[in-house]
């Protein structure tokens, strides 16, 4: 696998992992969110963002005719309408990304878990 493709794959795997961590962080206790915010502020100073523009592939949903028709009788008239289906359409977009985010986010999560363990005896800050 060439170096560029490997870096691209690594970046996407890291982003997927971070998305899961972000979901878990969003569901945490107020105490966990406070510890995470403190750790995030500290790590943003230690490892500030480095932004770059990248071309990415995204998908959007579109309604398109399926080729089928549904008809119904209304009085003496018959009304026919096309049956629509939702399809995913890929498109390219240029986005600004933080190249250090994948490296920094695990440090923030680890910092928050350590702080919670010290203060609450568990990694999720549950009292």
């Amino acid at each position: 696998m060439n170096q560029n493709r490997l870096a691209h794959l690594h970046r996407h795997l890291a982003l997927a992992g971070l998305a899961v961590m972000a979901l878990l962080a969003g569901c945490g206790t107020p105490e966990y969110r406070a510890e995470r915010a403190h750790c995030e502020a500290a790590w943003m100073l230690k490892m500030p963002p480095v932004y770059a523009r990248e071309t990415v592939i995204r998908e959007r949903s579109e309604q398109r005719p399926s080729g089928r028709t549904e008809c119904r009788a209304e009085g003496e008239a018959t009304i026919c309408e096309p049956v629509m289906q939702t399809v995913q359409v890929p498109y390219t977009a240029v986005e600004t990304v933080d190249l250090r985010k994948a490296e920094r986010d695990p440090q923030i999560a680890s910092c928050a878990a350590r702080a919670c363990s010290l203060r609450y005896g568990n990694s999720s800050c549950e009292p």
Side-chain angles (χ1 to χ4, degrees):
M1 202 179 281
N2 70 29
Q3 190 68 19
N4 190 22
R5 186 175 172 136
L6 187 59
H8 183 72
L9 177 63
H10 176 71
R11 191 174 310 121
H12 283 281
L13 288 173
L15 290 175
L18 293 175
V20 170
M21 287 181 3
L23 285 173
L24 292 174
C27 299
T29 63
E31 294 85 0
Y32 178 84
R33 289 192 298 271
E35 292 296 343
R36 184 173 173 82
H38 174 75
C39 290
E40 186 171 6
W43 275 96
M44 290 297 276
L45 292 173
K46 289 178 187 177
M47 194 179 293
V50 173
Y51 294 108
R53 305 279 289 162
E54 286 188 355
T55 302
V56 295
I57 303 284
R58 297 283 178 233
E59 287 187 344
R60 67 175 168 261
S61 298
E62 288 185 3
Q63 290 288 315
R64 292 189 179 164
S66 66
R68 295 183 310 141
T69 310
E70 286 186 355
C71 300
R72 66 182 182 283
E74 288 190 9
E76 293 184 17
T78 301
I79 309 288
C80 294
E81 295 177 341
V83 175
M84 303 300 278
Q85 65 183 4
T86 303
V87 295
Q88 298 300 314
V89 179
Y91 66 96
T92 57
V94 177
E95 295 181 356
T96 301
V97 295
D98 176 2
L99 299 177
R100 289 186 169 172
K101 183 172 176 49
E103 196 177 343
R104 185 176 51 248
D105 281 357
Q107 299 296 332
I108 294 168
S110 177
C111 171
R114 279 192 311 273
C116 288
S117 292
L118 288 172
R119 186 169 293 177
Y120 297 95
N122 62 71
S123 62
S124 56
C125 290
E126 294 181 7

